[in-house]
Structure formats: structure tokens, C-alpha cells
Amino acid sequence: MSELSCDIGIGGMTCASCVTRVERAIAKLPGVQSVSVNLATESARVQWATSQAEEDAQTQQARLRRAVRDAGYEPLAAEHLENKPEGAWAGFMPVAVGLMLSAPLVLPMLGDALGQHWMLPALWQFLLATPVQFVLGARFYKAGWHALLAGSGNMDLLVALGTTAGWALSVWLWLNAPMGAMVNLYFEGSAVVITLVLLGKWLEARAKRQTTDAIRALHALRPAQARVITLDGEVDIPIEELLVGDRLVVLPGERFAADGVVLEGETQVDEAMLTGEPLPVHKTVEARVTGGSINGEGRVVVRVSATGTATVLANIIRLVEDAQAAKAPIQRLVDQVSAVFVPVVLVLALATLLAWWFTWHSVEVSLIHCVAVLVIACPCALGLATPAAIMAGTGVAAKHGILIKDAQALEVAHQVNTVAFDKTGTLTLGQPQLLSVLLAEEGATSLPLTALTQDAKHWLGVAASLQSASEHPLAHAVVQAAKTQGLGITSPQDAKAVVGSGSEGKVNGQQILLGSVRWMNELAVPLGALHRQVELLQAQGATVSVLAQRTNTGIQAIAVLAFGDQPKPGAKAALTTLRARGLRLAMISGDNMGAAQAMAARLGLMPNEVYADVMPGDKAALVRSLQHSPNGTPHVVAFVGDGINDAPALAAADVGLAMANLNAEGQRGGADVAMQAAGITLMRGDVALVAGALDISARTVAKIRQNLFWAFAYNAAGIPLAAMGYLSPVVAGAAMALSSVSVMTNALLLKRWKP
């Protein structure tokens, strides 16, 4: 049994009730585990369990499309959002026709205000209003009829019922009026309401296109073709045909077609759309490049390392799409309300009709007030309030290098009151350098790299050989120091990593260990003369590793290697900003307390904010302890990390933020773990983005609440006013259209946000 997911576009949805109806229709399909329909993106994400993956996937998608069609909506390709909009005025023609036909009907109303009587003959009113009612308004009848067949209601049903009642009343009054008598007709009300609703939907669709700008911009980063080196020379081929291992030629100003490694050349690469970093990144031979980034002034040859859905850009697009397709927890309240909203409105409209009729008013007056209730109660704004804000917020965040994985992370992040940081690679550069080597045989004298003895060089070469099989930052520092000294490096045998402690393996037939002082203490390795130097180096803030040899008589300490790291530029200022927001800070490190406290002092952290000697497997437990204060008050904790070993802590935190750390070499650091365990990915190693992520969360949630307030307020105030006769159908239609447009416009204000 496996689980599959599928995205499908859905055309014809107009309000929150449509969302509920589509979700119910899809949820009835066999095997469906969950379904989330998004009104703003006009799409659905469906997950189902299947035992025969390929065959069942095809069958399920066919059933899915059939269910959408049977519910009264149009199934579309999942890629419908990628299509470029046709222009600012696309789809305006029906609105323009409605305005032209409705204008002569509204003109007499304006004339009355000026003391003029420009009333059109009843036949002319009928001829102008009827095409608007039944041609331009046909979409409302079709969708409303499907809603009735499904035993539910939606915005279209309310509009169709309300305007039809107004049109039919006008026809009845006209046909039953005495010959030559002036009769008050309501054709203009029905025609103007339909035109205003169409205008509102057009403005809403135009605003929706702006909320999907982030997705469109990311898709646009992918070039259509790539220049591949073949036996016949350079050939342009579609990027869909690229294979891992292909060699690409990328000229100045062109976009990289796929992820790869530079084989020839040197250049500057603009990665702003991927990381939000405005400055170009220098790339040389063996540097990694990311598909979608822009080549600078140099011609380079690149070997493809990832294509299609495996590229960084594809992962970024998937993250943004997931966030925009997901529902925030607050949306559950909207779904519950929308499920009963239309039936309640129909009851209120009927009650309004009967109340006015039973209080000795005419049928036409009663019916007009009933129509006003039906029109103003359309729940369009209610369905758009949450998804519009989420789309705008996640889109603008992605533009600045903050990828929000799901709506839940977005909603929870603004509640964070404690931020815990991993030290190495998150608050520091994560590129430690070997500072000195101390040999036990030489009296534990500290030897800088510029004054190493032959024995010290020998053991440095041994350490580098062992570490050549490791990806740890300290291992890279040892290997780099050995290369700088021109020392030979051999491949170790039976090398293995001891998580959080060090590594062990055979080098030139000798069993070598290299790891933390804590590990050596656990192994009961006597440090002898090295002990004092270790304490001194740790007090100075250095990270210390011990090189030892396993023999028949036990494990013997041979040398101590001292490493130093630097705080990230701007890290101290970023921490100060977080503290100014009233947040509690914590730094978690696997280093000894002396080294951790020394770095904390450079970063402006307090001694009680430092947690040292923490094993990778213990970070998650420490995060959980931070979630509970001594007095029992729960804390909402965000954890910021950059490595694979941070995954448990990222998952344990209320909000996990993983730094991708796209460095000059193009290595992505925590990008993979970000896609897996963290709710939010910071695409560049800038600590200031943490405050940015919390800020965009707070602003997006604020927009959601504002939108929901106004969406409910329109109906809460409008329905009673319409029922009491203070609103005409025309004014009700304008207010209903304005509610949707105002919600979308309010959400689009987020696009102006900057970290």
C-alpha cells in the first residue's frame, strides 16, 4: 500500500460553498485520504492510498476529474496557473457588454436625481435587461442548477434566484399593467446586479493573477533549451531531454538550464530569484551552480548533476505550491460556516419576503427586499479571505529567500516567543580553520601551521587521510590544512563516523581515532601533558579535537588539533533585533562550554542562553525542554539549523527554520533537510531572515484576520440592512462585489513587504 498525491485545476468555483461542495464530492471517491480545495488558486490537492501505483493513479485521476465535472465544475490541467495571463483586460468583454446594456437602464435613476424624467418604455427595458439576465447571467444558472442537483447552494444560486425574481416581477408588472399606465419596473436592478457581480469577479480574477506572480516568476526561470556538447559539437536541445552527466555551455547573460558543477571557466552568478541575495556569487571550477540562476560575464562549461523535479528550482517551486495549496488551520472555521451559509441565507430571504408581506406591504416590495438579501449575502469574500493572504504572503516571502513549506508553519510562526539556534553554520560561518597542532611527544607545545615540525606534519597528514572520508566541517578544515602544507593524503580503510563524537579508521595500517575531548574521556584515553593545553585552548574559545592511536596496549593520545570559527556577518545585529522583539534566545552547541561561551560573547548572547556539549541526538530533547518553562507556561519554540543532524530538532520545534547556506562553492548545506523536516527554509545563510520569517508570518496572519473580519462584517451588517429595506438590490450587488475586491486588494498589500 502506497500513498499518492495529485493536483488538479478546477474552473467555475465562485465562493466558499463551492469549495465545500467540491471537497465533499472528491472525498467520496474510494481510497481518498485527504483533499484540500483552494479557491484562490482554483485547484485541489488530493492524496489517496493505492496498492497498484501506476494503474490506480491513472484510474484515480480519471475518477477525480469525473467527480469534479459531476459536481458542476470544470476539471483543468494542474499547470493552468503556469499559463501567462493574456493581459490586464483579459476576460473583460462580458463586463463591457453588461455595462453598455445596463447603462440606459440606470440613466433614468440619475435623471430623477436631476429632476428629469428619462424613463424608457417597458419594451426597451425588457430588450436591454433580458440578454444580461439570460446570456451574460447564464453562468449563474448553470452553476446554481448543479448546486441544487448536489443538494447544496452557492453564490451562483443566490444571484440566479435574486435576479430572476427581480426580472420576473418586472415582467409580471409590465404584462398586467393597464394600457398606457406608467408602472415602476425593476429590470435595472437585475441587470445591474449581474453586471456588478461580473465586474467584481473580473477584478477578483485580475487580483488572483497577481497573487500567483511568485509561481509564474519561478516557472519563468527555467529556460526552454540548453546548449549541450555532443560528438557533433554544440547542439541546442529542449531541457526536458537533459540527462545527468551532460555537458552544457552557458554563455554570458544566459540562465543555467539545470543544476550542475563547473568544469571550465570562471564567472559571477546572479542567484537573486533563488536566494534573495542581491550580490552575484563568484563561481570557479568545481563550484556548484543552480538551474534558473543567471550567468555573469564568463563563458562556462557545466556538467549536469540534477534535472527535472530533482533540481533546487523544482524543489523551491514545489515548496511554494505546497504552501499556497494548503489550508491554514483557521480556514477550518470558514469551511464549517460556509457549509451551512447558503441554506441559512435562503431561509432568511424567505423570512424577509414573508415578514414584509405579512405586514401589509405589496408583493413587489416584499420581493425586492428578499432579492436584496439574496444578493448581498453571497459568500465570495469568505472563501477568498484566507487563501488570498496565504498566497500573497508566501509569494513575497519566496521572493526574498524565505520558503514557507505549509500554511500551518506560517500561522504558528507569529506566535513564537523562543528562538533556539544551532551554533556551527547557523550563527557562525561553519567554515572552521585549523589553527594549531599540539603533539604530546613535544611537550604539548602549541605549533601554528606555519611552524610545524616534521612529526607534526606527519600526524596532520594521517589526520587528513582519516578525515578525507568525512563531510564534517572540521574534517574539511583538516584536509584543507594538509593540502596547504603540501602533504600527501591517502584513502582510509574501514573508516566510520561516530555520530556527534568523531571518526575512526585505518591509515597506513594504523588504527586512528580523531574526535572530541568528550569522546576521548568516554574512552578513558589519558591526555597527560595535553590536558592543560586543552583547557587553555577551550577557555580561549577554540574547538578542540584529539588525535589518538589504538594499539594492543590501549588508546594513546598523540596530538590535539585546535580549530577556530567566525561569527556570521550581521549575526550579532540580527540577534539583537530578535531580542528587541521580546523573544527569548538560545544557542545550542556540541562544543565544550568554554568554546561555546566564548562564541556567545562575540555574538552578544548571555551565559544563560548557551547550551553546550549537546549531542546531535539530544538537540530534539533540548528543544522540547525549551517548550516548557519551570512555572509550567508553554513556550512556542522555533529552532534554526543548517545540517542533517539538525533534522530531529527541526521536526521537534513548533516551527523549524533550516538555512540552506548557498555559499560561494554553491553547496546547499541544509537544503535537503529543509525540504524534509523544517516548516520554513531560509535560502541563504543570513540570520536576519529569521526575523523576516517571523515578521511575514505575523503580517500574513494579520491580513487573514482582517479579511475574515471584513468578510463576516459585510454579511453581518448587510443582511439585516437588506432585510429591513435599507438596501436596494443594486446597492446590495455593489456591496457584495466590493467585499470580494476589498479582500483581494487587502491581501495584495503584502506584496510590498520587505524583510
Side-chain angles (χ1 to χ4, degrees):
M1 186 72 67
S2 61
E3 189 172 287
L4 300 175
S5 64
C6 172
D7 291 335
I8 183 173
I10 301 173
M13 294 191 299
T14 55
C15 65
S17 297
C18 296
V19 171
T20 302
R21 185 148 60 96
V22 174
E23 287 185 342
R24 286 178 176 174
I26 295 175
K28 293 177 182 178
L29 294 176
V32 170
Q33 301 290 312
S34 65
V35 54
S36 175
V37 176
N38 190 313
L39 178 61
T41 61
E42 297 180 320
S43 63
R45 172 153 296 179
V46 185
Q47 290 186 328
W48 68 81
T50 178
S51 56
Q52 297 176 353
E54 187 170 347
E55 180 181 349
D56 283 3
Q58 294 177 353
T59 303
Q60 274 285 11
Q61 290 194 31
R63 289 176 179 168
L64 174 59
R65 298 173 69 86
R66 179 71 61 84
V68 170
R69 192 176 299 281
D70 290 345
Y73 302 93
E74 183 70 22
L76 304 172
E79 296 79 15
H80 72 292
L81 285 178
E82 298 179 30
N83 300 328
K84 293 184 178 179
E86 300 172 9
W89 296 95
F92 187 71
M93 183 56 69
V95 180
V97 173
L99 290 172
M100 287 189 294
L101 294 176
S102 301
L105 296 172
V106 178
L107 196 60
M109 298 173 60
L110 300 177
D112 288 342
L114 300 174
Q116 303 295 322
H117 298 286
W118 298 334
M119 182 65 67
L120 294 174
L123 178 60
W124 285 29
Q125 294 185 49
F126 173 80
L127 293 176
L128 288 170
T130 301
V132 177
Q133 183 69 45
F134 296 105
V135 179
L136 299 181
R139 54 176 287 182
F140 302 115
Y141 289 101
K142 179 181 177 182
W145 175 246
H146 282 292
L148 281 178
L149 291 179
S152 63
N154 59 4
M155 182 207 82
D156 304 286
L157 179 62
L158 297 181
V159 173
L161 287 176
T163 58
T164 302
W167 181 88
L169 174 63
S170 300
V171 172
W172 184 81
L173 292 173
W174 171 37
L175 296 178
N176 289 276
M179 184 68 66
M182 290 293 294
V183 61
N184 190 22
L185 304 179
Y186 302 97
F187 283 120
E188 84 284 347
S190 297
V192 171
V193 165
I194 286 180
T195 302
L196 286 174
V197 173
L198 291 175
L199 176 61
K201 300 307 291 181
W202 176 77
L203 291 172
E204 178 187 306
R206 186 176 177 181
K208 282 180 185 177
R209 289 199 293 265
Q210 295 182 53
T211 63
T212 57
D213 279 349
I215 291 291
R216 297 184 197 278
L218 288 170
H219 281 293
L221 293 181
R222 297 183 292 198
Q225 292 189 317
R227 189 174 293 104
V228 180
I229 299 176
T230 68
L231 296 177
D232 299 324
E234 298 178 7
V235 179
D236 289 339
I237 66 171
I239 62 169
E240 292 81 9
E241 298 178 15
L242 280 179
L243 300 174
V244 173
D246 282 344
R247 291 184 300 156
L248 308 182
V249 174
V250 185
L251 301 179
E254 292 183 341
R255 291 191 183 275
F256 291 92
D259 295 356
V261 179
V262 177
L263 298 178
E264 301 175 17
E266 184 175 347
T267 189
Q268 301 283 331
V269 177
D270 180 0
E271 298 178 334
M273 270 302 297
L274 300 173
T275 67
E277 174 59 58
L279 299 178
V281 181
H282 185 66
K283 301 288 185 179
T284 58
V285 174
E286 295 187 4
R288 295 182 181 273
V289 292
T290 306
S293 56
I294 303 174
N295 187 22
E297 74 285 354
R299 175 188 183 275
V300 292
V301 177
V302 176
R303 183 181 67 249
V304 175
S305 61
T307 62
T309 58
T311 63
V312 173
L313 178 59
N315 283 328
I316 292 174
I317 292 174
R318 186 161 55 249
L319 275 180
V320 178
E321 287 177 337
D322 288 348
Q324 295 191 344
K327 285 188 177 182
I330 198 173
Q331 182 70 15
R332 298 191 190 105
L333 172 63
V334 178
D335 292 341
Q336 292 170 359
V337 172
S338 64
V340 298
F341 190 85
V342 174
V344 169
V345 169
L346 292 175
V347 172
L348 290 175
L350 179 61
T352 300
L353 173 67
L354 296 176
W356 281 89
W357 189 40
F358 287 154
T359 52
W360 299 282
H361 291 85
S362 65
V363 173
E364 60 185 89
V365 170
S366 303
L367 193 56
I368 287 301
H369 297 323
C370 171
V371 169
V373 171
L374 289 172
V375 171
I376 201 168
C378 296
C380 315
L382 201 60
L384 291 168
T386 301
I390 288 176
M391 291 178 68
T394 55
V396 72
K399 180 180 177 181
H400 293 286
I402 302 171
L403 299 184
I404 300 171
K405 184 178 180 180
D406 53 48
Q408 183 170 356
L410 181 71
E411 188 170 333
V412 173
H414 81 285
Q415 303 173 349
V416 166
N417 52 26
T418 302
V419 183
F421 292 87
D422 174 56
K423 179 180 77 71
T424 303
T426 304
L427 294 176
T428 68
L429 292 175
Q431 300 170 357
Q433 296 179 334
L434 181 62
L435 303 178
S436 61
V437 178
L438 293 76
L439 289 183
E441 295 179 355
E442 297 176 354
T445 303
S446 179
L447 297 173
L449 298 186
T450 54
L452 293 182
T453 63
Q454 288 301 317
D455 281 349
K457 289 182 179 181
H458 167 73
W459 288 112
L460 175 57
V462 170
S465 297
L466 175 62
Q467 296 292 66
S468 64
S470 174
E471 293 296 325
H472 194 279
L474 295 183
H476 286 299
V478 174
V479 172
Q480 185 59 44
K483 289 181 177 179
T484 302
Q485 294 288 324
L487 304 177
I489 300 177
T490 60
S491 298
Q493 295 177 333
D494 301 327
K496 63 178 180 179
V498 182
V499 179
S501 299
S503 55
E504 180 177 1
K506 283 187 178 181
V507 178
N508 299 328
Q510 298 173 310
Q511 193 70 24
I512 303 298
L513 298 82
L514 178 59
S516 65
V517 176
R518 180 187 61 250
W519 187 34
M520 294 300 159
N521 290 335
E522 292 173 357
L523 296 175
V525 178
L527 297 181
L530 292 171
H531 183 74
R532 174 59 183 161
Q533 287 293 336
V534 167
E535 291 181 339
L536 181 61
L537 288 168
Q538 290 179 339
Q540 294 172 350
T543 299
V544 178
S545 293
V546 177
L547 180 68
Q549 181 179 2
R550 190 187 296 272
T551 65
N552 294 332
T553 58
I555 303 176
Q556 177 183 357
I558 298 173
V560 165
L561 282 65
F563 302 87
D565 200 355
Q566 297 295 320
K568 284 185 176 178
K572 183 176 182 179
L575 293 175
T576 301
T577 300
L578 290 171
R579 185 177 280 112
R581 292 169 63 102
L583 299 173
R584 182 177 64 150
L585 303 180
M587 185 183 80
I588 302 175
S589 173
D591 282 343
N592 62 85
M593 184 58 76
Q597 290 285 8
M599 181 58 69
R602 299 174 66 181
L603 290 166
L605 293 171
M606 304 297 156
N608 63 346
E609 296 174 331
V610 178
Y611 298 85
D613 289 312
V614 180
M615 296 283 288
D618 296 333
K619 290 181 182 178
L622 180 55
V623 167
R624 284 190 285 268
S625 70
L626 291 173
Q627 293 170 330
H628 304 282
S629 63
N631 59 9
T633 304
H635 289 290
V636 181
V637 177
F639 178 77
V640 189
D642 77 315
I644 298 299
N645 61 5
D646 293 326
L650 289 167
D654 296 286
V655 180
L657 297 95
M659 283 188 175
N661 280 336
L662 287 176
N663 55 29
E665 286 72 36
Q667 296 172 341
R668 300 201 302 271
D672 293 335
V673 73
M675 310 282 179
Q676 301 292 329
I680 299 175
T681 304
L682 309 179
M683 287 304 295
R684 64 181 190 274
D686 186 353
V687 184
L689 287 183
V690 175
L694 301 182
D695 185 57
I696 189 59
S697 166
R699 291 176 185 269
T700 303
V701 171
K703 289 297 181 188
I704 291 174
R705 290 173 175 169
Q706 291 168 15
N707 285 350
L708 288 176
F709 170 79
W710 287 112
F712 280 113
Y714 269 109
N715 289 320
I719 292 175
L721 289 175
M724 290 186 292
Y726 291 110
L727 297 179
S728 69
V730 172
V731 175
M736 188 270 290
L738 181 62
S739 68
S740 298
V741 175
S742 63
V743 162
M744 294 298 300
T745 303
N746 188 44
L748 288 175
L749 292 176
L750 285 170
K751 295 185 68 176
R752 301 185 300 181
W753 176 83
K754 292 183 179 180

